[in-house]
Amino acid sequence: MRRCEGCGHWEPAGAHACERCAALVDEIVEEGWRAFLEREFGTADPPGERLIAEMVVDEPDRHPWRVVDAAYDRLTCPECGGRLSRGPAGCAPCDLADGFRYAAVEMDRPGVPPGNEHALRVNVAVTRRPDGVSAAEALLRRLSLPVLLDGLLPTTAQAQATKAAANAGATEAELAALVYGGWGRG
């Protein structure tokens, strides 16, 4: 884990308040998109990327989650005008797209415990669209990203204890101590 030069959090836990950390969260899905485009299509101009994105979101269960999330970023919500799936909670097209994103394929990265990629996916999705959850949940999800990106995964007991602390009103410092103090280490 590395400290962000902009906000001092472990990267990318400072998202949304820190532009650098927010960009690092977006980069998690963008690197998957770039690899997918290169592998499947070579290069594509922005109009071509939009057509490819439309194809991907029409069949999310055939593509890795990072590709699906990046495809949604290339489409505009007809209701809120933002990136499809990332609009405010209650925006019907964004809520629907947010649900469909979970049909995408998850494959754990080499060397990580089973379930790490699922945890990373959920935490990235919540961090990129925090309006759909409580402030405590959004905080916990973004604080978890550095640990998950390092390939660690909390035990069920660790995750439940941390979630209970968040729900009980733990401060950011208290949650950070739980997450960074032992998650994935037993």
Side-chain angles (χ1 to χ4, degrees):
M1 294 190 314
R2 185 172 64 189
R3 291 280 183 186
C4 175
E5 298 168 6
C7 69
H9 279 93
W10 294 111
E11 290 179 346
H16 287 287
C18 173
E19 286 183 31
R20 176 176 164 66
C21 284
L24 290 170
V25 174
D26 286 341
E27 181 59 23
I28 293 167
V29 297
E30 285 301 312
E31 69 185 356
W33 178 257
R34 287 190 304 271
F36 166 73
L37 281 182
E38 186 175 313
R39 183 179 62 251
E40 300 294 327
F41 301 97
T43 60
D45 57 8
E49 279 194 46
R50 181 178 169 74
L51 292 173
I52 294 166
E54 289 171 352
M55 182 237 1
V56 167
V57 301
D58 281 345
E59 49 185 24
D61 59 323
R62 297 187 57 187
H63 302 283
W65 73 268
R66 296 167 197 243
V67 173
V68 173
D69 280 17
Y72 277 124
D73 284 348
R74 284 152 175 80
L75 302 175
T76 303
C77 175
E79 187 172 307
C80 73
R83 294 183 199 180
L84 187 58
S85 84
R86 289 180 62 180
C91 172
C94 284
D95 288 347
L96 187 62
D98 185 55
F100 282 139
R101 83 165 10 105
Y102 290 100
V105 177
E106 289 177 0
M107 294 174 290
D108 282 314
R109 296 168 287 150
V112 302
N116 173 275
E117 193 69 11
H118 174 73
L120 180 60
R121 171 197 207 172
V122 171
N123 285 276
V124 165
V126 169
T127 299
R128 294 176 88 213
R129 189 183 188 225
D131 293 344
V133 298
S134 70
E137 177 82 8
L139 171 62
L140 181 55
R141 297 296 183 167
R142 72 175 172 80
L143 289 176
S144 303
L145 285 172
V147 173
L148 298 171
L149 287 166
D150 255 14
L152 300 174
L153 187 66
T155 64
T156 300
Q158 289 169 332
Q160 288 173 342
T162 307
K163 176 88 175 195
N167 289 341
T171 66
E172 183 171 337
E174 290 167 335
L175 291 175
L178 290 169
V179 171
Y180 305 136
W183 269 24
R185 296 174 186 91

